[in-house]
Amino acid sequence: MVFIIAINMITDEESIEEPIDLEKNDEKEITPEPKYNEVEIVIDTDIYSNYFNNEHNDETIENVIELIERAAKSVSPSGEVKIPKDKNLNSFFTYSNDELLGLFQKNNDNSQGELIMVVADKPFALQQAADLIEDEQIDKDLNYLADELFKIEFYQISDFAEFSTAYEKYVDIQKKILKIYYTIEYM
C-alpha cells in the first residue's frame, strides 16, 4: 500500500507544470495587412498631357487611349456602366445603402454581375497600356492602379460590409483612372 502512494506522489510531482507568465510574451504579435489600403498615388496630369501631345506614333497612342477608355468604364452603385462626365463624377458614385445593397446582391447572386465583369477587365487594359507607353512615371502609375484593382476580388465577397469597403476602394481607384482619361480624352 505504501508503494502505491509513493508512485502517485512521484507521478503528481512530475505532472506539475510551470505557471505561464501571460505578461511575458516573447512571441511577436502578427497584425494582418489590411486588404484595402488607401491608394497612395497622385496623378500628375501635366505628365500625361506632355506625353500624349508630344508622342508621334499615332497608332500606339490610339491603342493606349482605347485601353485607358476601356479602363475608364465605371459601374455606378445602381449598376449603370458608362464613363461618367467629369462634371457628374461625384454624383455618379454617390449612393444610398439600398442601391449599394442591390449592387451587392446582383453581384453576389451569380458571381458574374456587371461590377465583377467590368472590374476584371480593367487591370489587363491598364497593364497593356503601360506596356505601350515609353514614359516611366505613366508606366508606374498604370501598373500601380492595375495592381490595386487586382486586390479587389468582388467575386469572392459574400459579406455586405466587406463589399462596401471594397466598393469604396474601387471608387478611389476609378476616380484616378478617370482623371487620366479626362486628361487624354481630347488629345
Side-chain angles (χ1 to χ4, degrees), residues 67 125-134 138-140 142-143:
L67 290 165
L126 292 171
Q127 286 176 335
Q128 287 174 350
D131 290 345
L132 295 173
I133 291 179
E134 297 174 5
I138 294 174
D139 182 80
K140 184 177 170 183
L142 296 178
N143 279 311

Side-chain angles (χ1 to χ4, degrees), residues 111-123:
S111 294
Q112 293 193 353
E114 287 295 325
L115 183 61
I116 291 171
M117 301 309 285
V118 170
V119 173
D121 182 49
K122 291 175 183 300

Side-chain angles (χ1 to χ4, degrees), residues 39-57:
V39 179
E40 298 185 17
I41 185 173
V42 176
I43 303 300
D44 184 350
T45 56
D46 291 339
I47 292 173
Y48 289 84
S49 293
N50 290 338
Y51 181 81
F52 284 90
N53 281 327
N54 296 326
E55 186 60 37
H56 300 293
N57 187 340

Side-chain angles (χ1 to χ4, degrees), residues 34-38 95 100 152 154 157 159-173:
K35 192 168 186 173
Y36 306 114
N37 297 325
E38 283 293 315
Y95 58 86
L100 196 59
I152 302 175
F154 283 114
I157 298 174
D159 176 65
F160 180 66
E162 185 180 353
F163 179 84
S164 298
T165 303
Y167 187 78
E168 286 298 319
K169 170 78 171 184
Y170 160 72
V171 169
D172 185 34
I173 296 167

